[in-house]
Amino acid sequence: MLLSPRKLHGFQETCVSTQEQRPIYIFYYLMASCVQYRLVVRDVNTLQILQLYTCLDQIQHIEWSADSLFILCAMYKRGLVQVWSLEQPEWHCRIDEGSAGLVASCWSPDGRHILNTTEFHLRITVWSLCTKSVSYIKYPKACQQGITFTRDGRYMALAERRDCKDYVSVFVCSDWQLLRHFDTDTQDLAGIEWAPNGCVLAVWDTCLEYKVLLYSLDGRLLSAYCAYEWSLGIKSVAWSPSSQFLAVGSYDGKVRILNHVTWKMITDFEHPATITNPKIVVYKEAEKSPRLALGSLAFPPPRAAAGPLASTESKYEIASVPVALQTLKPVADRANPKIGIGALAFSPDSYFLATRNDNVPNAIWIWDIQKLRLFVVLEQLSPVRSFQWDPQQPRLAICTGGSKVYLWSPAGCVSVQVPGEGDFQVLSLCWHLNGDSLALLSKDHFCLCFLETEAGSVQPSDSWAATGRTCA
């Protein structure tokens, strides 16, 4: 029995996937996952299967519509997209791109149009589920992030490449009419992203040239920023939820913060290999084997305890400065060197910024945006694979590919063992929109963990205890 659609409204969360491309999407009450050609829709609280759909081939991408009434399944190898309805399980839609092929598929913000990108990025096809009409957008550029929608869903910006020059087109999502079309002063545009308020579009150039351009909705160039020349440039970009700051991560190991008034840099955050400031709290993860009485030893050890991390406990210790962090020497003769700021994200209240410097792979840096200073450093025993903020409060979840998930808030941090048998290696994670549960994904299974206090309610200042259910 499905829940009322009115209880399912909400925007989608970030998709998490493994090397086998088994993505998971979470909404307020429903969770969708795929195993080869099967799509499974479960209840978030009980993990009970509500719907089971069978697609024509192996699923490589799934995505909920914004109102959660439809779910899209893309099969890139066959150039197919199948759409399923949760209100009417017997209804389904099939889109075949034919010889044009398919490399990407996504929903429009209204949840009634599907945007398919053909092979070699020859065009984008806009399919309407309501009128069955088809529209075409030519010259989309193959880049890091070439499509971005405003948060209110009114406008879409598309990066284009025509006659060896970069352009941006702004479309009205209600009727897909072209609103603005302008060229950008970039050598090889790498990505675009709207500010959360939808007033400013950030455009950044290839990593070979440091350049950030800020455009208004009508295509006017508001500002251009360049930190340095003749070296690798921008690696990551993130807007603050308040739209007041734009964080730019660079290959030189710095994050530069631009303000929304003058679009000039107000500060830069360095990531030194040694922490010397006594005001900075450094949490170091420490593992130790639990003490066992002689009579409790089992030979051979149980299967559940055979993994390398299964017999160890983990906790955080506050290190005394100076603290030398583990660094990684990049390989100079290979592409995409492990240097620079590879990931950064603002907390939902814009108070904190979390960053990862790729040549210090075991550390997460948390910056106080109000005071513009380093607040906390977390050093893990293994390289950080993924981190994500709680959508409701300043609480950060981290995974390192082991059997634990790590949580930090201004009140402190904790290491939580993933419940279940065997060695559950957390490769990626995704928060529930309410912030009361967390989906953890391994290679073959996923686990839904509920964060509770001793009283049964979730509070940021209390200790966390995770209870979870694991599914294949």
Side-chain angles (χ1 to χ4, degrees), residues 133-204:
S133 62
V134 182
S135 303
Y136 299 99
I137 303 175
K138 295 182 179 181
Y139 313 113
K141 183 173 183 178
C143 57
Q144 176 184 350
Q145 184 175 330
I147 299 179
T148 178
F149 296 94
T150 56
R151 184 165 294 184
D152 58 10
R154 297 180 62 186
Y155 304 106
M156 179 190 78
L158 174 68
E160 300 178 356
R161 187 74 172 180
R162 304 185 184 188
D163 301 325
C164 300
K165 188 171 180 58
D166 294 325
Y167 296 87
V168 170
S169 291
V170 179
F171 295 87
V172 180
C173 294
S174 59
D175 54 9
W176 301 105
Q177 294 297 314
L178 181 64
L179 179 65
R180 289 290 185 273
H181 176 75
F182 54 91
D183 61 333
T184 61
D185 186 19
T186 52
Q187 296 293 330
D188 186 9
L189 188 151
I192 58 177
E193 186 172 354
W194 287 108
N197 60 13
C199 296
V200 179
L201 179 69
V203 178
W204 58 96

Side-chain angles (χ1 to χ4, degrees), residues 7 43 67 102 130 164 170 191 205 253 260 264 313 369 371 394 458:
K7 294 183 180 180
D43 182 276
D67 55 7
L102 183 67
C130 300
C164 300
V170 179
D205 212 335
H260 74 295
K264 303 298 182 182
E313 297 177 352
I369 298 301
K371 298 181 180 179
V458 180

